[in-house]
Amino acid sequence: MARPRKPLLSTDRIIETASVLVDAEGLAAVSTRRLAAELGVSGPSLYNHFRTKDQILEAVADSVSAQVDLSMFEDGRDWRTALHDWAVSYRSALRDHPNIVPVLATGPGRRPAGLRLADAVYGGMVEAGWPPAQATSIGALMRYFVMGSALGSFAGGFVDDESAYDPADYPHLGQAHLLAEQQEKVDERAFEVGLAALLDGLAGQFDEVVGR
């Protein structure tokens, strides 16, 4: 009986395997030696696809950017709704892959999906009537906000030990020990409150800048 053939090594297989490692163990888990072992190939064979570990992490980051929905900038939604829906999709992708956020935070660089994302947001704002300079600032502002929300949990930063919040020292943190168990609810609400505030503020500026 013929021995089963190993799946052919491909760029997509390398990215997928590296992504699983990053999600499970963090950025430090990725090395060419570890990836080769996971893929069942020799280390040098990876160099036919990626020259360095950093290139692999860049590719993993771009695969996450590719998960962000951009249709809202093409289907006629008004700019405020489009920004809201895009931000929600963007945060969802980052929340599913939090360990790669530090790489994404460096900017799109030459990553194709990251550049398409930036192009869609900027183009959507300019087409809506925002001047180019303000459209650039909006793209930066939204990226700061979404990235920041994905870098860590506010509620998860508090321990569930009531004794850690002595009212003599922290008179306003009497309920802080309850935050951890409500982490997802608290963080989602904070994101929506902050996003609404940002968009409301931009809407007021839009009336002034565009004169509508």
Side-chain angles (χ1 to χ4, degrees):
M1 181 181 296
R3 297 175 64 183
R5 296 178 60 189
K6 292 180 180 179
L8 292 176
L9 186 62
S10 67
T11 297
D12 288 342
R13 277 194 69 211
I14 296 170
I15 294 171
E16 181 180 355
T17 302
S19 182
V20 171
L21 278 177
V22 171
D23 287 346
E25 301 180 34
L27 297 174
V30 178
S31 68
T32 53
R33 178 178 296 182
R34 177 74 182 277
L35 279 175
E38 294 286 337
L39 290 161
V41 300
S42 63
S45 63
L46 295 178
Y47 298 126
N48 294 324
H49 301 272
F50 296 100
R51 293 193 302 272
T52 66
K53 168 186 171 177
D54 287 343
Q55 286 187 346
I56 295 171
L57 292 177
E58 288 283 312
V60 171
D62 211 38
S63 72
V64 173
S65 293
Q67 298 173 22
V68 181
D69 183 14
L70 301 177
S71 64
M72 63 283 297
F73 297 110
E74 302 171 353
D75 61 11
R77 272 173 266 189
D78 66 89
W79 69 265
R80 190 188 191 285
T81 301
L83 269 186
H84 174 276
D85 295 348
W86 167 77
V88 170
S89 178
Y90 195 12
R91 180 171 182 263
S92 178
L94 299 185
R95 187 180 54 198
D96 290 342
H97 306 281
N99 291 336
I100 200 65
V101 172
V103 179
L104 284 163
T106 63
R110 297 178 181 273
R111 303 182 210 123
L115 290 171
R116 283 193 293 271
L117 188 154
D119 181 74
V121 175
Y122 176 78
M125 296 305 98
V126 171
E127 289 174 8
W130 284 97
Q134 279 87 345
T136 300
S137 296
I138 290 170
L141 167 67
M142 297 302 293
R143 193 169 74 87
Y144 297 154
F145 176 68
V146 177
M147 286 283 181
S149 74
L151 282 172
S153 165
F154 172 79
F158 293 85
V159 299
D160 61 0
D161 178 4
E162 186 175 3
S163 66
Y165 307 103
D166 188 330
D169 297 319
Y170 316 108
H172 305 296
L173 296 182
Q175 301 297 307
H177 65 287
L178 301 176
L179 288 173
E181 67 182 35
Q182 299 290 324
Q183 177 176 331
E184 184 173 353
K185 181 178 180 180
V186 171
D187 290 347
E188 286 291 333
R189 186 170 61 228
F191 177 76
E192 284 292 345
V193 168
L195 181 57
L198 280 177
L199 295 175
D200 286 346
L202 288 173
Q205 291 184 35
F206 185 75
D207 292 338
E208 295 178 5
V209 170
V210 182
R212 295 180 183 176

